Amino acid sequence: IVPTVADAYVDVVDATEAEAALLGVATGRGLLRMNCVTTGADDVAISLESSMYHPDRHRFRAILHKRAKRWP
């Protein structure tokens, strides 16, 4: 299995009771959520992940590169 594309996005969601307890924040506090689907060369998903981050303790960096046109 060779990962070829990781499609990820970050948004803000309110912490549930369980998430708040794990991260040491109040229920309803805004958290950063990152969802990512990684696919192989055959476009079949090989990894699905959803991660929650305390916004005061993390930052995200993106380096974007132009590539060949993917869609017709």
Side-chain angles (χ1 to χ4, degrees):
I1 298 174
V2 178
T4 57
V5 175
D7 184 6
Y9 68 88
V10 177
D11 60 355
V12 177
V13 295
D14 295 333
T16 65
E17 283 188 37
E19 293 161 344
L22 288 169
L23 293 173
V25 299
T27 300
R29 166 85 157 82
L31 298 176
L32 297 173
R33 175 180 63 187
M34 182 165 53
N35 289 317
C36 183
V37 177
T38 303
T39 56
D42 56 2
D43 285 332
V44 174
I46 57 176
S47 174
L48 305 170
E49 45 186 295
S50 183
S51 304
M52 306 297 277
Y53 298 92
H54 189 300
D56 294 340
R57 299 179 191 152
H58 292 86
R59 68 180 182 173
F60 291 92
R61 177 180 179 192
I63 299 174
L64 307 174
H65 296 269
K66 182 178 178 181
R67 64 178 184 179
K69 189 173 181 181
R70 185 173 176 185
W71 295 280

